[in-house]
Amino acid sequence: MNSKRITSNNIIKSMTLKEKIGQMTQLAPNLYNQHSEAVVYGALRNLNLDEKKIYTAGSILGIGSPTEMINLQKQYLKNSTHQVPLVFMADVIHGYKTIFPVPIALASSFNVDVARTAARISAVEAYTSGIHVVFSPMCDLTRDPRWGRVVEGFGEDVYLTGEMSKAMVEGYTNYGKLGKDAVACCIKHFAGYGAAEGGRDYNTVDMSRLSLFRDYLPAYKKALDGGADFIMTSFNTLDGIPSTINSFLLKDVLRDKWGSKAITIADYDALNQVINHGAAESQEEAALKGIEAGLDIEMASSVYMNKLESWVEKNVVSEEKINQVVSRLIDFKIKLGLFENPYSGADKEREELVSLSEEHLKMSKDTALESVVLLENNGVLPLKKDSKIALIGPFTKTRNFIGPWAWKGKHDIHSSLEEVFEESIIVVSDKNRFEDLTEEEISLIRQADVCLMALGEEDYLSGEAHSRSDISLPNNQEEFYKSIKKISKAVIPLIFGGRPLLLNGLKNADAMMMCWFLGSQSSEAIHDLIFGIKNPSGKLPMSFPRNVGQIPVYYNHFNTGRPYYEGQVEMYVSKYLDVKNTPLYPFGYGLSYSKFEYSNLKVSKERITDKDELIVSVIVSNKSDVLGGEAVQLYIRDYVSNVVRPVQELKSIKKIWLDANESKVVEFTLNIENLSYYNYQGNLTCESGKFAVMVGTSSVNTLNKEFHLVVE
Ligand code: BGC
């Protein structure tokens, strides 16, 4: 086709109604080729589609390789009655072949550049296989560590989740410059999916409009502002209506309030599942509710393909409405340049060249180094070069640290902990129980200067459909730790997993690191941190509870009418009888080998108006002789408001690096937007009054100042 004449209008005019509706369906490649190399994570159902219909589909979910993409596109264009190429979309969550830390770990870097880089490199690699759109980032706020998908998100804070999501979109899309080495984004899951009751996946979500607008929606909005082209609906209901057919979400919020033109797509089979929800009696009804609510594409179901046409024939749905949706989809294909080159990106040679390249692996290691959170350290870390190490626990010999949702990542090509610590190890064992250790192993553990215990959850214990009601360390690893603690000179648990875990029993460890799943360079990064070749700088993006009964426990809660203060003896206050209110490890917490001190917190004015900016400055000093990274965190509190505000709200982070004994002035600028809140209507509002600004090393360790805002 001559590029000048390619407009969605012209293309749509040449298409039949059936062909247009086909564009609104996304199918798995397995329907075209039984032997597809692609991995599909939902159950493949019989979709009741004939050959003719599958050659009208608009996009493909997952593709195994560049060759497979080229072949499928060719096969499709040969068999389809129109010449509108397929778009290929896939779950690239934290890397394509070079695997980066899982998103909850990326969030722990408290550094958006780290997330952006991870996305950038993932895009460069994914692009070579002909993937045009990635289903990432997941912008769902998560306050319940029982939910398996906390591993895919950025934790409990609205600001951090939003900033990380936006940075990833910028990285994938190369700041919107789609084309070579960039992919478009489908952000997910709209909306509130992270608030599934009891942390059980796919469960009901029931929340106030206030919490929805204030806590849950801003991250999706930021990601859209960052340039996401697609938005995926979530599996849950909201206000009793499945998100997939929820016109409040898809129209009132997305289109009207936010003015977004992003293409909406159902999650896997979710349009069909509205029948299970009890929101439609049949696929016919689901199709009607989907189109009326503003759902553009269905994924892995055939509700639109099989049932939408009849509504147009009956004049219940206008063809014009279908045209509007399809023009959005075709415009996107034009933007990708697919009509000029339907195979764009797919390039086997380049895939081999760039994937897992030295440069990409180095980037993966750099991100891993910033993603580890040092939870405890009595001075045992960093280890001296000549330390004799006992390395024990279930994660010592495995090479699989890539974590869930890394279907193109290989589990066995990276290094194990045993391999990277080889020169210092005097005993290694991957046994899971003290009773299974031999006399000789026990004796060597006693002799070692330190025992590194690689513990935690296997990758299959988190992720989609992998919720747990008990988030303690599996297989009684806590008991194992306690036995080792009795015999070893110093014990350092290295904790792997996709969620905050219960670590009370390990709090007396000599040192402890939360390693999450760090990706392709996990072992190398841990090695460098343990020996102090690098300095840990990660901070927790989610509170670690003391027990499951405390959940949800998050730092930005309300004060309540009967707040409890540490040490208070009053009975009728908001507390438990059997556990503290505070988490074991709070949001924003993480240690370093450097010793950072904060001083001289200043605000530029004691009274500002809504037109002013407030400059907040603090001196951060590294009072140690090692270079270190520190995520300087700024929180605010609005003391009095018509709608009560949380006791603390994170508003800014500056990650800085300080040389030994170096000091820096760190400056933040606050404006009316930072001080405002979203009300029930989803509008930013602010009232005059007293505020606190808190700057520090974690949510519980800050210097505080007050100022007044006057809204004129
Ligand atoms: C997940 C999505 C994913 C989709 C496609 C669904 O089951 O919820 O996050 O993008 O499958 O694989």
Side-chain angles (χ1 to χ4, degrees):
M1 278 190 220
N2 176 343
S3 64
K4 285 199 187 116
R5 297 205 330 264
I6 301 175
T7 64
S8 48
N9 237 343
N10 287 346
I11 294 170
I12 286 172
K13 271 191 216 142
S14 71
M15 293 170 89
T16 64
L17 179 60
K18 273 197 177 63
E19 288 171 341
K20 288 189 261 190
I21 291 174
Q23 289 296 305
M24 297 166 67
T25 296
Q26 174 162 121
L27 297 175
N30 314 57
L31 287 178
Y32 303 82
N33 170 12
Q34 277 180 11
H35 307 292
S36 166
E37 301 158 42
V39 180
V40 177
Y41 281 84
L44 277 175
R45 286 187 310 108
N46 177 4
L47 297 182
N48 197 13
L49 295 173
D50 57 25
E51 278 268 309
K52 241 181 163 174
K53 275 195 176 148
I54 66 170
Y55 288 106
T56 63
S59 53
I60 294 293
L61 157 67
I63 194 74
S65 67
T67 316
E68 193 181 334
M69 184 274 192
I70 293 171
N71 290 343
L72 180 46
Q73 188 75 288
K74 271 192 191 148
Q75 180 185 336
Y76 179 86
L77 291 173
K78 192 166 140 224
N79 290 286
S80 73
T81 46
H82 58 63
Q83 287 302 298
V84 180
L86 289 163
V87 163
F88 289 81
M89 301 172 75
D91 287 288
V92 175
I93 309 297
H94 54 112
Y96 180 67
K97 288 197 175 174
T98 303
I99 305 301
F100 289 83
V102 289
I104 188 86
L106 289 176
S108 305
S109 70
F110 266 49
N111 181 355
V112 289
D113 296 338
V114 159
R116 195 182 295 106
T117 304
R120 187 82 239 44
I121 304 303
S122 310
V124 170
E125 293 192 2
Y127 180 78
T128 62
S129 76
I131 291 171
H132 306 120
V133 185
V134 293
F135 294 123
S136 173
M138 183 182 98
C139 314
D140 305 320
L141 190 95
T142 60
R143 288 175 171 171
D144 191 332
R146 292 172 296 183
W147 193 46
R149 301 195 81 169
V150 303
V151 67
E152 295 177 56
F154 305 113
E156 73 190 32
D157 181 67
V158 53
Y159 171 80
L160 185 63
T161 302
E163 292 296 308
M164 287 282 162
S165 300
K166 180 163 169 252
M168 286 199 86
V169 173
E170 290 164 351
Y172 283 127
T173 63
N174 198 13
Y175 290 95
K177 291 187 229 89
L178 291 188
K180 186 165 179 287
D181 288 346
V183 292
C185 287
C186 175
I187 64 161
K188 60 196 190 185
H189 309 84
F190 195 55
Y193 184 35
E197 278 178 3
R200 205 183 73 209
D201 207 3
Y202 315 127
N203 205 3
T204 305
V205 170
D206 195 4
M207 68 169 71
S208 70
R209 280 282 152 98
L210 179 67
S211 184
L212 181 71
F213 279 120
R214 194 198 52 203
D215 305 323
Y216 286 84
L217 292 187
Y220 308 105
K221 166 85 164 64
K222 266 195 195 166
L224 289 171
D225 292 345
D229 286 286
F230 288 76
I231 184 163
M232 187 190 294
T233 65
S234 52
F235 285 123
N236 54 280
T237 52
L238 191 80
D239 297 333
I241 301 171
S243 301
T244 303
I245 55 166
N246 191 316
S247 66
F248 163 72
L249 284 176
L250 302 183
K251 280 192 179 153
D252 302 355
V253 175
L254 186 70
R255 301 275 182 247
D256 299 346
K257 190 166 263 310
W258 294 350
S260 169
K261 296 199 164 55
I263 298 167
T264 58
I265 176 167
D267 201 346
Y268 199 101
D269 192 41
L271 183 56
N272 183 51
Q273 290 165 18
V274 305
I275 300 170
N276 290 345
H277 276 295
E281 202 170 4
S282 58
Q283 292 199 333
E284 279 82 357
E285 199 182 342
L288 182 61
K289 288 198 163 174
I291 188 80
E292 286 189 335
L295 179 74
D296 296 340
I297 302 180
E298 66 175 329
M299 182 199 295
S301 56
S302 48
V303 174
Y304 277 169
M305 242 186 201
N306 285 336
K307 308 294 176 191
L308 196 52
E309 196 181 352
S310 66
W311 292 112
V312 181
E313 280 160 1
K314 283 187 263 182
N315 282 325
V316 177
V317 173
S318 68
E319 188 153 356
E320 182 42 35
K321 189 168 204 144
I322 307 285
N323 290 349
Q324 279 166 13
V325 173
V326 178
S327 72
R328 262 200 292 281
L329 309 181
I330 306 267
D331 279 342
F332 178 71
K333 295 184 177 188
I334 295 174
K335 176 163 136 183
L336 285 181
L338 286 183
F339 291 93
E340 284 88 29
N341 176 12
Y343 313 103
S344 91
D347 182 341
K348 197 168 174 342
E349 270 170 38
R350 191 165 153 74
E351 188 197 38
E352 274 161 26
L353 184 78
V354 298
S355 299
L356 288 163
S357 69
E358 216 174 285
E359 189 200 346
H360 290 186
L361 288 172
K362 180 178 175 309
M363 304 269 207
S364 168
K365 182 171 172 186
D366 289 346
T367 61
L369 286 165
E370 285 201 51
S371 303
V372 170
V373 186
L374 181 63
L375 296 175
E376 299 289 342
N377 188 13
N378 64 10
V380 65
L381 284 180
L383 294 187
K384 293 196 197 70
K385 238 176 133 191
D386 56 358
S387 305
K388 284 186 287 173
I389 296 178
L391 180 66
I392 63 173
F395 289 87
T396 50
K397 297 193 177 177
T398 177
R399 289 175 162 168
N400 181 10
F401 292 111
I402 62 178
W405 263 137
W407 57 288
K408 290 298 276 185
K410 292 223 167 68
H411 291 187
D412 52 355
I413 58 171
H414 305 297
S415 310
S416 65
L417 289 171
E418 180 183 15
E419 283 157 345
V420 298
F421 284 105
E422 197 190 354
E423 286 175 12
S424 316
I425 295 175
I426 60 165
V427 54
V428 59
S429 153
D430 61 357
K431 292 176 188 142
N432 222 343
R433 300 183 333 146
F434 188 77
E435 302 78 70
D436 296 337
L437 293 171
T438 63
E439 285 296 316
E440 196 196 344
E441 284 168 337
I442 292 175
S443 152
L444 287 165
I445 292 169
R446 283 183 200 277
Q447 285 169 42
D449 298 318
V450 58
C451 178
L452 296 183
M453 283 194 90
L455 304 173
E457 285 183 340
E458 301 278 350
D459 56 356
Y460 61 81
L461 288 180
S462 58
E464 184 178 348
H466 287 73
S467 296
R468 293 178 69 201
S469 67
D470 172 5
I471 55 166
S472 51
L473 290 169
N475 305 321
N476 232 346
Q477 289 176 9
E478 193 176 310
E479 286 312 305
F480 188 16
Y481 161 81
K482 285 180 180 157
S483 308
I484 294 293
K485 178 78 183 143
K486 284 188 199 140
I487 63 158
S488 166
K489 291 181 193 146
V491 188
I492 306 177
L494 305 173
I495 308 291
F496 297 90
R499 58 159 63 80
L501 293 161
L502 297 184
L503 300 175
N504 297 2
L506 285 70
K507 198 150 179 7
N508 64 355
D510 296 279
M512 176 155 58
M513 276 181 180
M514 187 66 206
C515 300
W516 310 106
F517 291 110
L518 295 170
S520 300
Q521 292 288 292
S522 181
S523 298
E524 287 81 355
I526 292 170
H527 170 273
D528 287 7
L529 292 170
I530 290 285
F531 281 111
I533 300 165
K534 295 286 174 179
N535 194 345
S537 64
K539 304 279 186 178
L540 294 179
M542 262 183 104
S543 306
F544 275 43
R546 293 173 194 274
N547 64 23
V548 168
Q550 265 194 325
I551 298 171
V553 56
Y554 50 92
Y555 85 95
N556 46 0
H557 54 82
F558 288 155
N559 201 34
T560 79
R562 294 187 172 195
Y564 169 76
Y565 301 106
E566 191 69 33
Q568 205 174 352
V569 284
E570 170 67 65
M571 166 85 87
Y572 295 100
V573 289
S574 180
K575 64 172 172 29
Y576 296 103
L577 296 177
D578 53 356
V579 68
K580 291 184 175 192
N581 282 2
T582 54
L584 186 70
Y585 295 112
F587 177 82
Y589 169 82
L591 304 173
S592 161
Y593 300 151
S594 307
K595 188 169 176 295
F596 296 112
E597 273 184 22
Y598 285 67
S599 60
N600 244 359
L601 177 66
K602 284 189 190 149
V603 289
S604 56
K605 290 180 188 165
E606 276 173 11
R607 185 170 284 270
I608 58 163
T609 73
D610 50 346
K611 319 270 172 328
D612 294 335
E613 283 185 338
L614 183 76
I615 312 291
V616 181
S617 67
V618 71
I619 298 177
V620 185
S621 309
N622 179 356
K623 301 272 184 185
S624 72
D625 48 19
V626 281
L627 164 85
E630 169 74 337
V632 184
Q633 303 159 40
L634 181 145
Y635 300 85
I636 62 152
R637 176 168 182 185
D638 179 357
Y639 286 103
V640 182
S641 175
N642 287 333
V643 173
V644 293
R645 306 271 305 257
V647 293
Q648 262 179 307
E649 296 174 58
L650 181 69
K651 290 295 170 181
S652 192
I653 302 168
K654 294 243 158 104
K655 188 145 183 186
I656 56 166
W657 293 87
L658 292 178
D659 269 328
N661 299 306
E662 192 193 358
S663 291
K664 255 186 201 160
V665 178
V666 180
E667 252 187 32
F668 300 90
T669 308
L670 291 179
N671 58 27
I672 186 68
E673 200 178 314
N674 308 124
L675 302 176
S676 303
Y677 65 97
Y678 282 100
N679 63 13
Y680 302 99
Q681 288 82 32
N683 299 327
L684 266 183
T685 23
C686 204
E687 298 137 31
S688 300
K690 188 170 78 167
F691 282 74
V693 58
M694 302 160 239
V695 181
T697 186
S698 79
S699 59
V700 297
N701 192 347
T702 57
L703 296 177
N704 304 349
K705 279 262 171 211
E706 286 178 350
F707 66 94
H708 273 83
L709 170 73
V710 180
V711 179
E712 291 176 336

